[in-house]
Amino acid sequence: MIKHETIERNATLLLALSFIVVTIGGIVEIAPLFYLQNTIEKVQGMRPYTPLELAGRDIYVREGCYLCHSQMIRPFRDEVERYGHYSLAAESMYDHPFQWGSKRTGPDLARVGGRYSDQWHVEHLTDPRSVVPGSIMPTYAFLANTDLSTNDIADHLRTNVDVGVPYSKDMIANAEADMKAQANPDSDGVDGLKKRYNNVNVRDFDGNPNRLTEMDALVAYLQMLGTLVDFSKYSADENLR
């Protein structure tokens, strides 16, 4: 007790001992990372976003969807039973920035892909209360009437390459064509799109085949979330450190 009181009354000694404790704790936490080839577990199926999905993600961020919807399922029973398998680090490896979120006014969207039809998403975004009576989400009907900008998507892919996303030169060269092809299953570019991106949804997402809209992009992004990893082939034990 006397020794403890001595430390508390001596600011210099307290600072020095605190520094030593923090240093030891930092070394214990950081040092193991230097012995890992990768801090992200390896999973099959992960790929960069297609140009249309990437544009949809930009709209998602622009409209502030992350403020009310998280994209991170924690490894707790109540969350796993409601939303599905807990989130893996690899599922956010191409997110800049990630969309984990910190608040859930609405449900988590990490595995929303394929849970609802395209039409449901369009109606939900157009008039949320038409499908979820108690929803307090604002309407985004304007997305269906706003043409999607396509002329700068190649530059967007190049920017993502600068932060580590593995888009190839072929992906960048065909970015605009791939964006249009994903929303048009009759396009000649669909085969090339599928060669460049695995497990890709190709269809008219907003119900209007005559226009490529921001609604197409956002629905394409939502329908992809949580669908890339095949959890029947995933083994958590293989990724134990």
Side-chain angles (χ1 to χ4, degrees):
M1 185 67 180
I2 297 177
K3 293 182 179 180
H4 193 275
E5 183 178 352
T6 301
I7 295 173
E8 288 183 340
R9 289 179 177 274
N10 189 321
T12 302
L13 180 60
L14 178 61
L15 180 63
L17 293 176
S18 297
F19 177 77
I20 293 173
V21 171
V22 171
T23 300
I24 294 174
I27 293 174
V28 170
E29 289 289 330
I30 298 173
L33 299 179
F34 291 99
Y35 297 93
L36 297 176
Q37 293 183 349
N38 196 339
T39 57
I40 299 176
E41 68 272 48
K42 296 179 179 179
V43 296
Q44 296 183 24
M46 284 307 302
R47 60 161 173 77
Y49 295 113
T50 67
L52 187 63
E53 293 164 358
L54 186 63
R57 184 183 181 280
D58 286 346
I59 295 168
Y60 182 95
V61 174
R62 183 193 72 193
E63 298 303 327
C65 301
Y66 61 91
L67 296 173
C68 293
H69 294 281
S70 62
Q71 283 188 37
M72 186 180 69
I73 303 168
R74 297 173 295 180
F76 303 140
R77 180 176 178 179
D78 61 323
E79 296 205 11
V80 171
E81 289 186 351
R82 180 178 182 185
Y83 298 119
H85 196 285
Y86 60 82
S87 295
L88 306 178
E91 293 180 279
S92 299
M93 65 191 300
Y94 300 132
D95 280 340
H96 299 280
F98 59 79
Q99 297 300 298
W100 296 344
S102 60
K103 185 175 183 291
R104 286 180 186 161
T105 300
D108 185 274
L109 300 181
R111 310 220 178 283
V112 73
R115 289 199 172 190
Y116 306 97
S117 67
D118 295 340
Q119 182 181 359
W120 187 95
H121 281 293
V122 171
E123 292 180 2
H124 182 232
L125 290 164
T126 302
D127 180 10
R129 273 136 314 267
S130 67
V131 291
V132 184
S135 175
I136 60 172
M137 190 176 92
T139 62
Y140 296 93
F142 66 90
L143 295 176
N145 299 313
T146 305
D147 291 328
L148 181 65
S149 175
T150 63
N151 57 1
D152 61 348
I153 189 61
D155 290 334
H156 197 167
L157 265 64
R158 291 190 188 94
T159 301
N160 273 263
V161 170
D162 291 340
V163 293
V165 181
Y167 285 113
S168 66
K169 293 181 178 179
D170 185 40
M171 289 175 172
I172 295 173
N174 290 279
E176 185 172 354
D178 285 345
M179 174 182 273
K180 296 176 180 178
Q182 188 172 355
N184 181 7
D186 297 324
S187 170
D188 294 335
V190 171
D191 290 340
L193 169 68
K194 290 184 176 180
K195 288 180 180 179
R196 284 181 280 273
Y197 301 92
N198 63 281
N199 193 20
V200 57
N201 296 311
V202 179
R203 55 182 182 268
D204 171 38
F205 294 94
D206 70 351
N208 183 359
N210 299 317
R211 297 177 66 181
L212 180 62
T213 67
E214 290 189 345
M215 184 71 80
D216 279 307
L218 182 54
V219 174
Y221 170 68
L222 293 173
Q223 291 289 42
M224 175 279 309
L225 290 177
T227 65
L228 297 181
V229 177
D230 183 356
F231 283 99
S232 66
K233 298 179 181 179
Y234 173 74
S235 174
D237 293 340
E238 294 179 359
N239 290 286
L240 291 176
R241 299 295 193 262

